[in-house]
Amino acid sequence: MGNLNSELFAAIDSVASGANEHALAASVQELMKKYRGRVDPQDLVLASDTDVVAYAAYRLPATFTAAEAAFGTAAASMPGFSPATHLDVGGGMGAAVWAASSAWPSLRSTTVLEQSAPAISLGKRIARRSTAPAVSGSVWERFRLTGAVPDGPRVDLATMSYVLNELTQQVQEEVVRSLAKRARTVVLIEPGTPEGYARVISARAHLLAEGMTVAAPCPHSGACPIAPGDDWCHFSERLNRSGIQRRLKFGTLGFEDEKFSFVAATSDPVDRPANRVLRHPQKRKGLVSLSLCTSGPGIEERVVSKRQGQTYRAARKAEWGDAWPPPEEPGH
């Protein structure tokens, strides 16, 4: 199937390289202003061809990277889940479409619902460059999200990335509950901010109310043990910036860290880890401190010392967002 990451980034560079960079840079600045505020559900943000190319160049790699990480974590907790059909809501230019096929190569068909005609046009153009059948053969439909998703055939997987913040609280609930009725598994991704986390927690409650089980990132389906206002659950993925990304963002660094919150819920069996690493492990000489969300549920601060041998070696390798203990390593 090839490397979907490389395929997507090459496709983005191709469409951006033929555009006027001054126009793209101006569009990026306007888009950043809009997304830093609350997007009006009636406002078509990606309204022009320049807007969608600008968005693809400056945001699509990051949203793909976050979605790929979230879907990969979900897939690890559902080893028996091999989806064939996929519905992506508010799909933009298809970041989640590419990421889902990366996590689940079993996918054979994808339907994308998106309101922006320029986004659909560019999403189709990029998708045709993929070797994954569910990407290259994806079907795109124009749809404005003002309530529950339309009735249709039940699908194996439904996804929605960076969309809930554009909806009123009532519409958020209607959409999430309708996705739970349409799909065996639902994955929702939001920015890794306190507000994004709050939307994910609210959506998580709606998915549970529809009879689904949390697959990831939580090691349980109980209430989140994080006290509101004290902290928020989120994760981070680092990606390398292309030359055009650096120029459009006026950045000097060759990388960026995309922070995101997410929930995956399913009607299928799950095999969740006992714990999830919630922060970058603190590594000192002979000691590793791990902040863990446990299957209790609860938050535990665990210190692993060098005297613990193999467990210590596993802790030295542990990263933010990892399952703990890792499947190939014994011990706590």
XYZ file of all heavy atoms in Angstrom, residues 112-191:
614
model
N -17.203 10.839 2.755
C -16.844 12.069 3.457
C -17.983 13.074 3.328
O -18.441 13.353 2.215
C -15.553 12.691 2.878
C -15.129 13.901 3.704
C -14.431 11.661 2.820
N -18.429 13.611 4.455
C -19.427 14.677 4.465
C -18.711 15.992 4.764
O -18.046 16.114 5.792
C -20.500 14.415 5.535
C -21.255 13.085 5.448
C -22.327 13.020 6.531
C -21.879 12.893 4.064
N -18.842 16.975 3.886
C -18.139 18.253 4.039
C -18.975 19.357 3.384
O -19.569 19.141 2.320
C -16.749 18.173 3.384
C -16.012 19.473 3.196
C -15.814 20.260 4.472
O -15.491 19.630 5.521
O -15.993 21.490 4.438
N -19.023 20.535 4.009
C -19.868 21.598 3.485
C -19.184 22.485 2.444
O -19.842 23.114 1.623
C -20.387 22.470 4.626
C -19.326 23.285 5.350
C -19.934 24.255 6.338
O -21.095 24.640 6.213
N -19.158 24.630 7.347
N -17.853 22.560 2.454
C -17.143 23.467 1.557
C -16.858 22.810 0.214
O -16.130 21.818 0.145
C -15.822 23.921 2.206
O -14.979 24.533 1.258
N -17.414 23.385 -0.857
C -17.170 22.829 -2.196
C -15.685 22.895 -2.582
O -15.159 21.922 -3.138
C -18.029 23.559 -3.227
N -14.971 24.005 -2.307
C -13.533 24.006 -2.624
C -12.755 22.946 -1.839
O -11.811 22.360 -2.371
C -13.100 25.423 -2.230
C -14.325 26.253 -2.337
C -15.437 25.345 -1.893
N -13.154 22.707 -0.577
C -12.470 21.672 0.211
C -12.711 20.293 -0.394
O -11.791 19.461 -0.463
C -12.942 21.707 1.660
N -13.928 20.041 -0.827
C -14.244 18.758 -1.453
C -13.415 18.569 -2.718
O -12.840 17.504 -2.955
C -15.752 18.669 -1.772
C -16.562 18.567 -0.473
C -16.047 17.482 -2.678
C -18.071 18.632 -0.671
N -13.349 19.624 -3.531
C -12.602 19.536 -4.791
C -11.132 19.208 -4.539
O -10.561 18.319 -5.197
C -12.730 20.862 -5.544
O -11.982 20.832 -6.738
N -10.506 19.916 -3.586
C -9.092 19.663 -3.309
C -8.911 18.311 -2.623
O -7.942 17.596 -2.904
C -8.512 20.775 -2.440
C -7.006 20.678 -2.197
C -6.225 20.724 -3.515
C -6.520 21.779 -1.264
N -9.838 17.950 -1.714
C -9.745 16.657 -1.044
C -9.764 15.504 -2.034
O -8.975 14.554 -1.922
N -10.639 15.585 -3.037
C -10.697 14.561 -4.081
C -9.392 14.518 -4.873
O -8.876 13.435 -5.184
C -11.859 14.848 -5.038
C -13.247 14.588 -4.481
C -14.274 14.926 -5.548
C -15.684 14.611 -5.105
N -16.676 14.958 -6.152
N -8.883 15.700 -5.190
C -7.655 15.796 -5.989
C -6.479 15.155 -5.253
O -5.695 14.403 -5.856
C -7.363 17.266 -6.278
C -6.130 17.539 -7.103
C -5.986 19.041 -7.316
N -4.679 19.401 -7.818
C -4.239 20.654 -7.887
N -5.019 21.653 -7.483
N -3.029 20.905 -8.359
N -6.376 15.421 -3.965
C -5.300 14.833 -3.170
C -5.502 13.327 -3.020
O -4.552 12.544 -3.123
C -5.222 15.517 -1.794
C -4.778 16.978 -1.942
C -4.266 14.769 -0.861
C -4.852 17.774 -0.647
N -6.759 12.916 -2.769
C -7.052 11.500 -2.524
C -6.697 10.614 -3.702
O -6.297 9.459 -3.516
C -8.531 11.331 -2.162
N -6.834 11.137 -4.903
C -6.541 10.323 -6.097
C -5.084 9.887 -6.167
O -4.747 8.942 -6.887
C -6.921 11.105 -7.365
C -8.408 11.165 -7.635
C -8.696 11.622 -9.056
N -8.314 13.007 -9.291
C -9.135 14.047 -9.153
N -10.390 13.855 -8.757
N -8.710 15.279 -9.419
N -4.219 10.561 -5.401
C -2.795 10.209 -5.427
C -2.453 9.061 -4.483
O -1.308 8.622 -4.428
C -1.958 11.439 -5.053
C -2.114 12.602 -6.028
C -1.310 13.814 -5.557
N 0.116 13.504 -5.529
C 1.022 14.047 -6.329
N 0.651 14.917 -7.251
N 2.305 13.740 -6.221
N -3.431 8.567 -3.734
C -3.166 7.525 -2.738
C -3.222 6.125 -3.337
O -3.980 5.864 -4.274
C -4.177 7.632 -1.595
O -3.989 6.580 -0.671
N -2.432 5.226 -2.743
C -2.488 3.813 -3.130
C -3.501 3.037 -2.295
O -3.765 1.870 -2.578
C -1.104 3.159 -2.955
O -0.663 3.334 -1.606
C -0.089 3.772 -3.910
N -4.066 3.651 -1.245
C -5.041 2.978 -0.389
C -6.420 3.048 -1.031
O -6.887 4.138 -1.370
C -5.076 3.627 0.992
N -7.105 1.926 -1.215
C -8.379 1.938 -1.936
C -9.455 2.795 -1.276
O -10.260 3.430 -1.966
C -8.784 0.455 -1.976
C -7.973 -0.212 -0.911
C -6.707 0.565 -0.817
N -9.490 2.836 0.062
C -10.517 3.624 0.740
C -10.251 5.123 0.631
O -11.150 5.925 0.867
C -10.608 3.224 2.212
N -9.027 5.493 0.287
C -8.687 6.909 0.080
C -8.924 7.284 -1.378
O -9.695 8.200 -1.681
C -7.232 7.206 0.486
C -6.908 8.689 0.254
C -6.993 6.848 1.940
N -8.279 6.576 -2.284
C -8.390 6.925 -3.706
C -9.816 6.766 -4.221
O -10.236 7.493 -5.129
C -7.437 6.063 -4.537
O -7.742 4.681 -4.377
N -10.586 5.845 -3.635
C -11.964 5.635 -4.073
C -12.995 6.292 -3.183
O -14.191 5.971 -3.288
N -12.573 7.217 -2.328
C -13.498 7.844 -1.387
C -14.577 8.632 -2.114
O -14.345 9.233 -3.161
C -12.737 8.748 -0.408
O -11.923 9.675 -1.109
N -15.769 8.634 -1.527
C -16.926 9.356 -2.069
C -17.168 10.576 -1.200
O -17.256 10.476 0.027
C -18.183 8.455 -2.076
C -19.403 9.241 -2.526
C -17.955 7.236 -2.970
N -17.291 11.748 -1.824
C -17.446 13.009 -1.102
C -18.837 13.577 -1.357
O -19.279 13.666 -2.513
C -16.383 14.010 -1.553
C -14.982 13.540 -1.267
C -14.341 12.461 -1.822
C -14.048 14.122 -0.351
N -13.076 12.345 -1.311
C -12.856 13.351 -0.413
C -14.083 15.234 0.496
C -11.740 13.645 0.353
C -12.967 15.534 1.254
C -11.813 14.747 1.190
N -19.512 13.977 -0.294
C -20.853 14.541 -0.401
C -20.898 15.889 0.306
O -20.374 16.034 1.413
C -21.887 13.595 0.235
C -21.959 12.239 -0.437
C -22.942 11.305 0.255
O -23.629 11.758 1.207
O -23.036 10.129 -0.148
N -21.540 16.861 -0.334
C -21.657 18.179 0.284
C -22.791 18.156 1.308
O -23.922 17.772 0.995
C -21.916 19.246 -0.772
C -21.679 20.646 -0.229
C -21.661 21.701 -1.302
N -21.304 22.979 -0.725
C -21.390 24.135 -1.365
N -21.826 24.160 -2.635
N -21.043 25.264 -0.772
N -22.457 18.552 2.540
C -23.435 18.463 3.639
C -23.087 19.483 4.708
O -21.946 19.559 5.162
C -23.395 17.042 4.238
C -24.293 16.857 5.425
C -25.661 16.753 5.258
C -23.765 16.792 6.707
C -26.497 16.578 6.363
C -24.586 16.619 7.807
C -25.961 16.511 7.631
N -24.067 20.291 5.101
C -23.879 21.258 6.183
C -24.347 20.628 7.483
O -25.493 20.180 7.598
C -24.652 22.545 5.910
C -24.442 23.612 7.001
C -25.247 24.859 6.704
N -24.670 25.629 5.619
C -23.697 26.528 5.785
N -23.198 26.758 6.992
N -23.226 27.200 4.760
N -23.483 20.599 8.471
C -23.749 19.912 9.728
C -24.523 20.841 10.666
O -23.943 21.679 11.343
C -22.425 19.482 10.359
C -22.467 18.439 11.467
C -23.085 17.138 10.968
C -21.057 18.169 11.982
N -25.838 20.684 10.695
C -26.689 21.500 11.567
C -27.469 20.654 12.562
O -28.312 21.169 13.299
C -27.676 22.324 10.722
O -28.460 21.429 9.913
C -26.937 23.307 9.834
N -27.210 19.368 12.571
C -27.902 18.454 13.469
C -27.362 17.049 13.258
O -26.221 16.874 12.834
N -28.172 16.068 13.552
C -27.759 14.675 13.412
C -27.311 14.384 11.981
O -27.812 14.984 11.017
C -28.915 13.750 13.790
N -26.360 13.469 11.852
C -25.942 13.060 10.511
C -27.099 12.311 9.853
O -27.933 11.702 10.532
C -24.676 12.175 10.547
C -23.501 12.933 11.125
C -24.929 10.902 11.345
N -27.195 12.357 8.536
C -28.328 11.721 7.866
C -28.338 10.216 8.059
O -27.301 9.584 8.232
C -28.121 12.097 6.395
C -26.660 12.411 6.285
C -26.269 12.997 7.594
N -29.544 9.653 8.032
C -29.667 8.196 8.105
C -29.009 7.572 6.879
O -28.961 8.163 5.804
C -31.137 7.784 8.150
C -31.804 8.187 9.456
O -31.083 8.324 10.462
O -33.032 8.380 9.469
N -28.535 6.364 7.072
C -27.900 5.659 5.970
C -27.445 4.297 6.435
O -27.691 3.900 7.579
N -26.771 3.562 5.567
C -26.286 2.231 5.950
C -25.351 2.320 7.153
O -24.573 3.273 7.281
C -25.536 1.751 4.696
C -26.057 2.593 3.586
C -26.408 3.909 4.178
N -25.423 1.333 8.019
C -24.524 1.287 9.169
C -23.100 1.065 8.669
O -22.865 0.290 7.739
C -24.945 0.160 10.104
C -24.184 0.144 11.434
C -24.895 -0.775 12.418
N -24.111 -1.019 13.614
C -24.023 -0.196 14.651
N -24.700 0.949 14.628
N -23.311 -0.493 15.714
N -22.141 1.767 9.296
C -20.742 1.652 8.896
C -19.927 1.072 10.045
O -20.359 1.069 11.202
C -20.159 3.023 8.472
C -20.874 3.539 7.238
C -20.234 4.030 9.611
N -18.754 0.585 9.716
C -17.878 0.033 10.745
C -17.226 1.135 11.580
O -17.063 0.996 12.795
C -16.778 -0.822 10.096
C -17.341 -2.023 9.361
O -18.329 -2.606 9.846
O -16.788 -2.374 8.299
N -16.851 2.245 10.924
C -16.083 3.301 11.579
C -16.648 4.664 11.203
O -16.889 4.932 10.024
C -14.613 3.214 11.135
C -13.676 4.332 11.585
C -13.437 4.267 13.095
C -12.334 4.234 10.838
N -16.851 5.522 12.208
C -17.225 6.921 11.968
C -16.221 7.808 12.683
O -15.835 7.529 13.822
C -18.634 7.210 12.472
N -15.783 8.864 12.008
C -14.788 9.766 12.589
C -15.225 11.215 12.406
O -15.940 11.556 11.454
C -13.401 9.574 11.940
O -13.488 9.818 10.537
C -12.890 8.157 12.173
N -14.757 12.065 13.323
C -14.984 13.500 13.213
C -13.823 14.199 13.912
O -13.587 13.983 15.102
C -16.325 13.898 13.834
C -16.714 15.333 13.562
S -18.482 15.655 13.832
C -18.612 15.331 15.577
N -13.089 15.033 13.167
C -11.861 15.637 13.685
C -11.932 17.158 13.618
O -12.202 17.720 12.555
C -10.651 15.167 12.866
O -10.605 13.757 12.763
N -11.680 17.811 14.750
C -11.602 19.269 14.811
C -12.879 19.927 14.269
O -12.816 20.925 13.541
C -10.384 19.770 14.038
C -9.061 19.287 14.585
C -8.529 18.058 14.204
C -8.333 20.062 15.487
C -7.317 17.604 14.704
C -7.115 19.622 15.995
C -6.615 18.388 15.593
O -5.412 17.947 16.094
N -14.026 19.377 14.637
C -15.307 19.904 14.140
C -16.230 20.328 15.270
O -16.998 21.285 15.129
C -16.022 18.838 13.258
C -17.399 19.320 12.824
C -15.184 18.500 12.036
N -16.184 19.655 16.419
C -17.140 19.927 17.491
C -17.129 21.393 17.921
O -18.167 21.947 18.293
C -16.851 19.032 18.707
C -17.172 17.546 18.543
C -16.703 16.764 19.770
C -18.671 17.334 18.331
N -15.954 22.037 17.871
C -15.878 23.436 18.311
C -16.636 24.380 17.387
O -16.899 25.527 17.750
C -14.419 23.888 18.430
C -13.748 24.063 17.076
O -13.801 23.170 16.240
N -13.121 25.195 16.863
N -17.010 23.914 16.198
C -17.757 24.738 15.259
C -19.266 24.599 15.462
O -20.046 25.261 14.769
C -17.392 24.351 13.823
C -15.911 24.520 13.494
C -15.568 24.057 12.094
O -16.498 23.894 11.284
O -14.371 23.857 11.800
N -19.687 23.749 16.415
C -21.104 23.436 16.600
C -21.603 23.929 17.953
O -20.836 24.010 18.914
C -21.325 21.920 16.505
C -20.709 21.204 15.299
C -20.919 19.701 15.423
C -21.312 21.730 13.999
N -22.892 24.237 18.024
C -23.484 24.562 19.315
C -23.514 23.311 20.174
O -23.401 22.178 19.678
C -24.913 25.086 19.153
O -25.735 24.022 18.634
C -24.965 26.296 18.204
N -23.687 23.486 21.473
C -23.686 22.342 22.381
C -24.796 21.355 22.040
O -24.608 20.135 22.084
C -23.839 22.831 23.822
C -23.544 21.756 24.857
C -23.396 22.327 26.248
O -23.497 23.537 26.461
N -23.161 21.467 27.221
N -25.967 21.867 21.662
C -27.079 20.987 21.315
C -26.766 20.177 20.066
O -27.018 18.969 20.007
C -28.355 21.798 21.092
C -29.558 20.935 20.701
C -30.822 21.756 20.481
O -30.909 22.897 20.916
N -31.797 21.177 19.792
N -26.191 20.832 19.052
C -25.861 20.120 17.821
C -24.750 19.110 18.069
O -24.760 18.014 17.503
C -25.477 21.116 16.708
C -24.976 20.384 15.470
C -26.669 21.989 16.346
N -23.786 19.449 18.934
C -22.744 18.488 19.287
C -23.361 17.186 19.787
O -22.987 16.096 19.352
C -21.824 19.064 20.362
C -20.901 20.163 19.896
C -20.042 20.726 21.017
O -19.638 19.992 21.916
N -19.762 22.012 20.986
N -24.300 17.300 20.699
C -24.936 16.095 21.252
C -25.689 15.327 20.171
O -25.581 14.093 20.075
C -25.890 16.453 22.387
C -26.598 15.227 22.961
C -27.466 15.536 24.173
O -27.442 16.687 24.655
O -28.167 14.605 24.640
N -26.448 16.041 19.337
C -27.218 15.373 18.283
C -26.297 14.621 17.321
O -26.577 13.476 16.936
C -28.049 16.407 17.517
C -29.175 17.027 18.330
C -29.878 18.152 17.585
O -29.518 18.394 16.410
O -30.773 18.776 18.179
N -25.201 15.257 16.952
C -24.269 14.637 16.003
C -23.614 13.404 16.617
O -23.556 12.330 15.995
C -23.193 15.649 15.559
C -22.095 14.944 14.772
C -23.804 16.756 14.732
N -23.115 13.538 17.842
C -22.403 12.427 18.478
C -23.329 11.238 18.675
O -22.963 10.083 18.384
C -21.788 12.879 19.810
C -21.240 11.682 20.583
C -20.678 13.902 19.568
N -24.535 11.482 19.157
C -25.475 10.372 19.369
C -25.872 9.721 18.045
O -26.023 8.496 17.972
C -26.706 10.865 20.131
C -26.434 11.145 21.605
C -27.691 11.595 22.326
N -27.467 11.809 23.746
C -27.635 10.881 24.696
N -28.022 9.653 24.354
N -27.418 11.154 25.968
N -26.002 10.504 16.996
C -26.355 9.916 15.701
C -25.200 9.084 15.141
O -25.427 8.043 14.512
C -26.750 11.011 14.704
O -25.665 11.868 14.391
N -23.963 9.503 15.393
C -22.822 8.702 14.953
C -22.776 7.364 15.689
O -22.427 6.336 15.103
C -21.518 9.473 15.173
C -21.269 10.671 14.257
C -19.974 11.367 14.626
C -21.241 10.246 12.789
N -23.111 7.383 16.977
C -23.128 6.143 17.760
C -24.158 5.163 17.211
O -23.975 3.945 17.308
C -23.417 6.453 19.221
N -25.223 5.689 16.629
C -26.249 4.827 16.043
C -25.851 4.325 14.658
O -26.299 3.263 14.218
C -27.585 5.579 15.959
C -28.216 5.895 17.306
C -29.522 6.665 17.135
C -30.288 6.813 18.437
N -29.620 7.727 19.383
N -24.996 5.092 13.948
C -24.613 4.731 12.588
C -23.424 3.797 12.517
O -23.224 3.108 11.501
C -24.253 6.008 11.785
C -25.389 6.846 11.259
C -26.056 6.279 10.024
N -25.179 5.930 8.928
C -24.879 6.711 7.904
N -25.359 7.937 7.845
N -24.122 6.278 6.919
N -22.579 3.766 13.579
C -21.284 3.093 13.441
C -20.998 2.121 14.580
O -21.459 2.308 15.706
C -20.161 4.136 13.370
N -20.202 1.107 14.269
C -19.726 0.185 15.313
C -18.701 0.863 16.207
O -18.633 0.596 17.411
C -19.083 -1.042 14.665
C -20.038 -1.997 13.981
C -19.284 -2.989 13.102
N -18.226 -3.700 13.828
C -17.246 -4.381 13.241
N -17.171 -4.418 11.920
N -16.340 -5.006 13.962
N -17.875 1.715 15.611
C -16.830 2.415 16.357
C -16.832 3.883 15.945
O -16.957 4.200 14.760
C -15.446 1.799 16.072
O -15.414 0.467 16.601
C -14.332 2.620 16.707
N -16.693 4.769 16.934
C -16.670 6.210 16.699
C -15.387 6.771 17.311
O -15.058 6.473 18.458
C -17.884 6.912 17.332
C -17.801 8.424 17.132
C -19.186 6.365 16.753
N -14.661 7.594 16.549
C -13.474 8.286 17.059
C -13.639 9.779 16.821
O -13.879 10.209 15.689
C -12.171 7.794 16.392
C -10.963 8.420 17.101
C -12.068 6.273 16.417
N -13.510 10.557 17.894
C -13.669 12.011 17.843
C -12.374 12.667 18.310
O -11.810 12.265 19.328
C -14.825 12.457 18.737
C -16.172 11.754 18.508
C -17.169 12.168 19.582
C -16.715 12.076 17.117
N -11.910 13.671 17.592
C -10.649 14.355 17.904
C -10.901 15.851 17.983
O -11.604 16.414 17.129
C -9.575 14.067 16.840
C -9.386 12.554 16.656
C -8.254 14.726 17.210
C -8.522 12.184 15.465
N -10.322 16.491 18.990
C -10.421 17.939 19.169
C -9.041 18.497 19.523
O -8.136 17.739 19.897
C -11.416 18.270 20.282
C -12.877 18.122 19.880
C -13.314 19.199 18.890
O -13.331 20.395 19.244
O -13.620 18.830 17.734
N -8.851 19.813 19.420
C -7.572 20.392 19.834
C -7.256 20.054 21.291
O -8.158 19.918 22.124
C -7.791 21.893 19.656
C -8.874 21.996 18.633
C -9.769 20.825 18.878
